[in-house]
Structures are given as C-alpha cells and as structure tokens.
Amino acid sequence: MTSQVSSTAEQADGAVVGEQRTAAGPKDVRRLDRVIIRFAGDSGDGMQLTGDRFTSETASFGNDLSTLPNFPAEIRAPAGTLPGVSSFQLHFADHDILTPGDAPNVLVAMNPAALKANIGDLPRGAEIIVNTDEFTKRAMQKVGYDSSPLEDGSLDGYHLHPVPLTTLTVEALKEFDLSRKEAERSKNMFALGLLSWMYHRPTEGTEKFLRTKFAKKPDIAAANIAAFRAGWNFGETTEDFAVSYEVAPAAKAFPPGVYRNISGNLALSYGLVAASRQADLPLYLGSYPITPASDILHELSRHKNFGVRTFQAEDEIAGIGAALGAAFGGSLAVTTTSGPGVALKSETIGLAVSLELPLLVVDIQRGGPSTGLPTKTEQADLLQAMYGRNGEAPVPVIAPRTPADCFDAALEAARIALTYRTPVFLLSDGYLANGSEPWRVPDPEELPDLRVQFAQGPNHALADGTEVFWPYKRDPRTLARPWAIPGTPGLEHRIGGIEKQDGTGNISYDPANHDFMVRTRQAKIDGIDVPDIEVDDPHGARTLVLGWGSTYGPITAAVRRIRKGGGRIAQAHLRHLNPFPHNLGDVLARYERVVVPEMNLGQLATLIRAKYLVDARSYNQVNGMPFKAEQLATALKEALDD
C-alpha cells in the first residue's frame, strides 16, 4: 500500500491521547491522536496475519505507525498455553512516532492464555475484547485461572467487551459448505472486521488480499471476506460498542513522497537489490534458512528479473562458501544468517578477509547463546562481529536503526564492501526484521553510484620491463586490491587462505611480510570513509545517551519525554561500529556522563571504554524484547540526577 503525505512535524511519543467527540448517526465518533492495539491469541489463531492486515490498511490510510510482532519459536506451540501465545502490537498516530508503544490501549484476547499473558501490560482503563467462547473451565484451568476473570471482578478496572467471536463467525458462515472447524478458523477475520470498524480503517485492501491469497480456493476466500464483513457489521449494530474512533492521517509527519508500509527484512532485501543495480553487478545470495533471517531468502528468490540468484545451501558453511565463490566470480555476494550461523561462518569470513573480496554478511540478531530465543530480539552479536574470527581479521560493521533504515544500511554496506574489497557485517535484529513502519520510496536518482572497475590487464612492471598482474597491488587511497574476474587473459593469480606476499599474492611465510599484511589489512579498515556522528543537543547538556542499532526508537522517544519535562540531555546514534566515526572521541569528551543503552550486557560500552577511555555507563536489557520508552526515560533521569 502507498499513500501521499507532505510536510514535517514531531511530537513526543509519550503524548497523552487526545479525544474529540463528534456525532455519526446513532453512534459517537471520538478523535484520537494515537492508539496502541495488541492482537493476542493462540499461535494457530492467525494473530500475525490479522495484525499485518490492520497495519497495511493503516499505512494506506496515511498514519505513522510502528509494529511489534511477538510469537513463539515453535511452529505450533501447545494450544491454549502461555508459551503458545502469539501477539501483534501496532502503534499508529496522526503524528511522528518512534516505537510500537509501551502499553496497549486495546487488547484483543482470543483465549484465556492470551488474556493472562498480556493483562500485566495494560494500563487501567484500557479496552479488552475477549472471545468468550474460549473461556471454558478447562481452558481457564490450563493457564491457572481458578475462576473466570470475566466474572470475578478482576477486570473491573478495564473496559471489558465480551464477544462470542467463534459463535458469531460460525453463524456468519453457515451458508458456506464448511465444517465447524473450518469456519472457526475465520474468527481472526471477524475480529479484524470489528477493529476495522472501531478505528475507521479501509477495507478494500483486505478484501483484495483475501481474494488473492485464496485465489485457488474461492470458497475459502469468500468465507473469510464474509467473516470480515460480519465483524464490521457487528461493530456497527451491537450496543456494546457505542463509540468508534478516528485517528487522522499523519499529514505533517513526513517529507512529501510516495510511502509504503515496510518491514526491516523486506527493506533490507530491497536495499540489496538496489545495491546490485547501482553497482551493475548480479546479486548472489548463498544462505541457509534460520529465524529471523529467512524472509530475506524468501524475498530475494522472487526477484530473478533483476538478476538475483539465490542458493539455499545444505548448511551455513556451504551458504557462505558459495557466496564467497560468487564474489570471486564478480557478483555482489551476500550471505544471511543469525548469531548461531555466524559462528559456523567464521572460518569463511576469515578467508574473505585474507582474499580481500567484497562480501556482505547479514546477521539478523536474536537471543542467545546457542539456539537461545529464535523469535526474540537481542543485540548481543556485536563483539562476535568485531572479533569472532581467528587471527587479526578486521571487518567493517554497520547497523540500521529502524525497519525502513535497513534499506539504506544495505546500500552503505555494499558501498564499503565494493570500494574497499572487504567482507562487511550488517547487524540488524529481530525487532527491526519483523517490525514495520512507513518508508518513502526513493527516486533512483537519489541512490549512490556503486559501480566498480574490474582489473583489465597488467598493473605492474618488473625490473626487466615485463608487465605482469599483481593481485595485491593496492589503490593508494583505499588500500583495496584489484578485483580480477576469473578467466580474464593475463590476470591469473593465486587465491587461498595461506598468507600472501604483498603485491604478488604468492604464498609467503616471511615474518616481516606477515606483519606488514596484517597491519595493512587493519589500516584499510581503519581508513574507511564514514560520516561523522551527529549529536542532537539543543540545550547544551552535560549527559549524552549513545546508542546503536534498533535502540534508536526507544532512546529517541525517551529523550523527547525528558526534554518535554525540562531535562537537558544529548543524543547520538551510531550506524558505523567499525570503524567508529572519526569525530566520536571528540564528541564523547564534551560530556560529563555517557550512558549506553543496549540489549546485551554492555558490548558497545566495553568498546567505547577501551578505545576512548571514557567511563561509559551501561544500561542493559536481555529479556528478548525491545526497550520501553518510559523505562529508558526513568533510567536516563536517574543519570541526570547523579
């Protein structure tokens, strides 16, 4: 979905929800400036699809938005249990927002497990829509309810809407030739229709989506559309929902342009395709499926028309080996994975460092160690990306800060890899990969020129005047070696993991040569041209909060809250983690206190303290979830008060 918006504006993520009531026939319509909705149910209830469709319609309407999908690692966790709860949270507004929100205003709970797993996150006064059909004695006992929470007064502090979603769905579909079990599967579409009515969401896109998704099963498509419409009509006619809500488009939140809703993995995929087009090189992905990176493989496999070739290997090692071979052959080569896969790829990454070939290593970080938390987010692979190889094997590291920024980060990673002939780590994470936000579709003229010049012939003259090709004769500005396509006459040269002689590329065990090559490879990385870090400090603060990657949204929202309350605090965010921006040391020296929030136990803070001798303070979280803005704001206020 795309929409046109214009102008710019900025409001605090913690703004109080505003209301304006207008009449609309027999029911009132209230105007809100933002809403946070969470759909929750069993992992087989289709909550991710429901949330995704609501998000798509919200994007087409023109709201700013941010999402947080949250689901079990198991394909089908035990039904009706707390570990089996799947949820999708959406924050949408008529102004610029940065996070999926701290606490939902509305919870749609499809069963007792969904209610119990999420009730602790709701503020008093929130609306709760429950599927009463699922609140059987057995289902409630399974999650530890001794009595029905719908009847024992425990929910008196909330606006409770008991709705027999399953019964209503089955009744709406009785004219279709479906079994009761088949009809019950459409209850998520009934819920989607009800919420679409409540918040005046467009419906055409969802109906078109259902017709396309079930094009080979028109009866199923018709049934789902009927359930969706029944949910809308229920909201329109029932007395339990006397009010609907409007959240106006975010007309002032963005620069003019064409926008679409995009997830981090989709933006990253598009960025890789754009990079290959801008470099005029075929894109090759050698990968092995792993959560949460698999969607990149799925997406890129759809774009053969852009010269993209994807290879699903038998394991992680084969995936990166094929990618490195493609780089040797002249492709823009990529391998995608998550933390456990990086461990398996480390030897080949070291080989790429030795061969000095461009290779993008995309790490969509997740909770660890080992298999860890496959569907939960974490930022704990930074030190692995920096040092997780044998020997001195420096690799550039960059990290996107939002789902949409994954597009630009992919282009930047490709620029560095191609310019400096080096593997590059791109560190995204599960929060960015699965989350989504509006993205302005760029004009092709805005994209960087990434074209490279391959070696064409001899580049060195011997003492006797003979012209030869030296594969390790470097560009004096970038220290990059020439990129020679195999089979080019006169460019025959050695490759392999054994140390090379400077210039010739011949095998060398000479100590002095090894020392020179190690230092030269490090100097090449240290000399990469990266932009200076920008500091947001409008009031001359004494405290700087420094972040990287996906902490950008929560940090920025927390900083806005503090400033709105009169506090003085500066903010800076790192995209380039190796090498650091050249002005970072000077920036850090200007502040009395530096606070580094991370979803790990202090990895960036460790690097900052070691390199710049700054007493950086860590604020850490490793619970598999992103920071909440209010949580960070409280921690940063304490730092200000020290």
Side-chain angles (χ1 to χ4, degrees), residues 49-362:
L49 175 62
T50 304
D52 182 68
R53 289 314 313 160
F54 196 95
T55 299
S56 294
E57 298 299 347
T58 297
S60 69
F61 187 71
N63 296 119
D64 194 12
L65 62 89
S66 180
T67 69
L68 178 61
N70 186 16
F71 44 87
E74 292 79 12
I75 294 175
R76 188 65 173 89
T81 64
L82 293 175
V85 173
S86 173
S87 68
F88 188 106
Q89 183 164 307
L90 166 68
H91 182 191
F92 61 103
D94 65 2
H95 58 272
D96 175 28
I97 59 174
L98 297 157
T99 75
D102 289 355
N105 308 117
V106 182
L107 171 67
V108 180
M110 303 296 282
N111 61 17
L115 177 64
K116 187 160 190 177
N118 292 281
I119 190 66
D121 292 338
L122 268 64
R124 290 290 174 173
E127 294 196 66
I128 304 175
I129 301 172
V130 296
N131 179 14
T132 56
D133 289 325
E134 296 297 322
F135 279 73
T136 63
K137 183 176 180 180
R138 181 182 179 189
M140 289 186 289
Q141 289 178 342
K142 186 181 289 188
V143 296
Y145 281 126
D146 296 325
S147 61
S148 173
L150 309 184
E151 301 172 353
D152 63 9
S154 60
L155 300 179
D156 287 350
Y158 307 95
H159 297 295
L160 180 64
H161 301 278
V163 181
L165 288 172
T166 305
T167 299
L168 291 171
T169 302
V170 172
E171 179 67 19
L173 302 184
K174 63 182 181 181
E175 65 183 74
F176 293 88
D177 186 21
L178 300 173
S179 67
R180 179 178 178 86
K181 185 175 182 180
E182 290 172 329
E184 287 178 358
R185 290 174 181 165
S186 297
K187 63 181 180 287
N188 64 323
M189 289 296 104
F190 188 100
L192 177 60
L194 173 57
L195 269 293
S196 297
W197 171 83
M198 283 183 65
Y199 292 97
H200 296 222
R201 299 296 92 185
T203 61
E204 294 82 2
T206 293
E207 293 192 10
K208 181 179 179 181
F209 167 82
L210 291 171
R211 291 190 185 96
T212 302
K213 180 177 177 63
F214 299 107
K216 296 182 180 180
K217 298 179 179 180
D219 291 343
I220 299 297
N224 277 282
I225 292 171
F228 176 67
R229 291 175 176 174
W232 177 283
N233 293 332
F234 177 78
E236 183 72 26
T237 58
T238 183
E239 295 181 1
D240 191 37
F241 293 91
V243 176
S244 64
Y245 304 91
E246 285 185 351
V247 180
K252 298 180 180 180
F254 312 107
V258 177
Y259 285 78
R260 60 156 296 166
N261 179 49
I262 201 165
S263 69
N265 273 351
L266 183 59
L268 203 155
S269 301
Y270 287 175
L272 293 173
V273 174
S276 75
R277 303 294 286 182
Q278 294 302 108
D280 197 22
L281 297 174
L283 179 65
Y284 183 94
L285 174 67
S287 184
Y288 179 76
I290 184 172
T291 302
S294 299
D295 284 343
I296 301 173
L297 172 60
H298 301 159
E299 181 61 33
L300 289 181
S301 68
R302 300 187 177 105
H303 296 290
K304 296 178 182 178
N305 56 313
F306 287 118
V308 178
R309 287 173 288 178
T310 55
F311 170 55
Q312 180 176 320
E314 65 269 26
D315 56 39
E316 297 280 6
I317 299 172
I320 190 173
L324 185 57
F328 178 62
S331 293
L332 176 59
V334 185
T335 189
T336 53
T337 189
S338 191
V342 174
L344 293 168
K345 297 178 187 291
S346 61
E347 181 181 5
T348 307
I349 296 171
L351 176 59
V353 171
S354 176
L355 297 180
E356 301 189 44
L357 287 171
L359 174 67
L360 303 187
V361 181
V362 178

